[in-house]
Amino acid sequence: MKTLLALVGAVLFHGVLSAQECDLRIMSYNLRFGELASMQQIGEYIAQKDPDLVALQECDWNTVRTRAPKQHHVRFVNELGQITGMFTAYGKALDYMGGYYGIGILSKYPIIRAERVLLPHDGRAEQRVMLVVDVEMPDRGTVTFACTHLEVTSSAARYEQAGFINAYFARAPYPTFLAGDMNAAPESPEIERLTTGGWMPLTNTEPTYSTDEPTIKIDHIFYRGPRPLELKRTVTCTDSALSDHRPVISEVTLGK
């Protein structure tokens, strides 16, 4: 028994359970509540891109939405998890049409913690949320991944929400990725508030909305954290019209 304990202690001491350098492919995709495509189509598209982490916005759960009759009673994130074979988390923003409306996360690796965080709003606009998960990577290191969908009607509201996000992650213990539909262009005050708050942009400035005639970039991915990060490649996908948003993908190497 002592020999076994000594061996385990030696393994831990030499860092086998510590985080190692790893590559990640991160995706953000606003689904337009499934009005333009089925979950099967969207799930197959996501699987084709082979992401490690996916932030999803405008996700219904068991609604009867008039504008999306083919999605009645569909639980978007559950369905996408089945199709892609990924772990899932869901964050409700609103009770809506007999079900829920919100955001979701897909992860190739186990989700070991999930939290829905209510973002500040003035009571006149709809409630916005942030979904935060901790993911255990194959190297036994942990990363935090957050998905959000900021207010659409007010730059001032988004600016306040950006400040809230900065404060929320001020003492985050793990490398953290933030992704979603920010409803804000790269040069906007709210995005500047995120970047001056320590977030590193991981996407380019190519427009993501709308799919037919894109004129503005509002879908973003960011990083902040204690480990160095190298952005290897980022792309705004132009090969799909399954939503009114173009998905964005960033490939990174997270250092030791």
Side-chain angles (χ1 to χ4, degrees):
M1 177 62 73
K2 289 184 178 180
T3 302
L4 178 58
L5 290 175
L7 178 60
V8 172
V11 170
L12 290 171
F13 179 79
H14 284 94
V16 172
L17 300 187
S18 64
Q20 304 296 311
E21 184 178 275
C22 66
D23 293 330
L24 286 170
R25 179 177 295 176
I26 301 163
M27 182 179 195
S28 184
Y29 201 2
N30 182 315
L31 304 184
R32 188 177 169 83
F33 48 82
E35 184 183 28
L36 302 179
S38 69
M39 290 304 106
Q40 186 67 39
Q41 291 172 305
I42 293 172
E44 289 175 357
Y45 178 80
I46 292 172
Q48 173 192 345
K49 299 301 182 182
D50 192 28
D52 297 290
L53 298 167
V54 186
L56 302 168
Q57 304 86 49
E58 298 198 16
C59 300
D60 283 353
W61 192 95
N62 200 41
T63 64
V64 184
R65 185 187 287 270
T66 305
R67 292 178 60 183
K70 294 182 180 180
Q71 307 298 355
H72 287 183
H73 304 296
V74 174
R75 297 158 173 86
F76 284 23
V77 177
N78 299 42
E79 294 280 344
L80 293 174
Q82 287 275 56
I83 295 164
T84 62
M86 301 176 80
F87 296 97
T88 66
Y90 184 73
K92 184 195 86 169
L94 302 170
D95 294 308
Y96 189 76
M97 296 287 187
Y100 308 124
Y101 170 73
I103 58 179
I105 283 175
L106 303 176
S107 172
K108 187 178 290 186
Y109 307 109
I111 294 171
I112 57 176
R113 184 188 73 90
E115 179 184 11
R116 181 192 68 157
V117 181
L118 302 181
L119 298 182
H121 74 302
D122 62 8
R124 291 173 294 180
E126 68 182 53
Q127 177 66 62
R128 300 285 173 159
V129 300
M130 179 170 62
L131 182 60
V132 183
V133 301
D134 291 338
V135 175
E136 186 178 67
M137 305 303 294
D139 61 3
R140 302 289 186 93
T142 300
V143 300
T144 296
F145 186 53
C147 169
T148 195
H149 187 184
L150 300 188
E151 174 57 40
V152 67
T153 61
S154 167
S155 176
R158 292 191 296 271
Y159 188 83
E160 182 181 4
Q161 290 168 350
F164 177 92
I165 290 170
N166 287 344
Y168 179 89
F169 288 110
R171 297 183 180 180
Y174 304 122
T176 301
F177 296 92
L178 170 69
D181 177 358
M182 306 300 176
N183 277 312
E187 68 276 7
S188 66
E190 46 269 47
I191 297 301
E192 182 181 4
R193 191 171 198 187
L194 289 173
T195 57
T196 57
W199 295 96
M200 171 186 175
L202 298 181
T203 50
N204 56 36
T205 58
E206 293 177 2
T208 60
Y209 181 82
S210 67
T211 302
D212 294 334
E213 297 181 1
T215 57
I216 185 172
K217 176 186 177 60
I218 56 177
D219 301 273
H220 302 261
I221 303 171
F222 300 94
Y223 170 77
R224 64 181 289 176
R227 293 169 61 179
L229 181 131
E230 176 189 356
L231 176 60
K232 298 171 62 179
R233 187 173 79 99
T234 185
V235 61
T236 299
C237 301
T238 60
D239 60 348
S240 172
L242 302 178
S243 170
D244 60 343
H245 285 246
R246 292 182 170 181
V248 291
I249 298 175
S250 297
E251 297 176 1
V252 303
T253 297
L254 185 61
K256 299 180 182 180

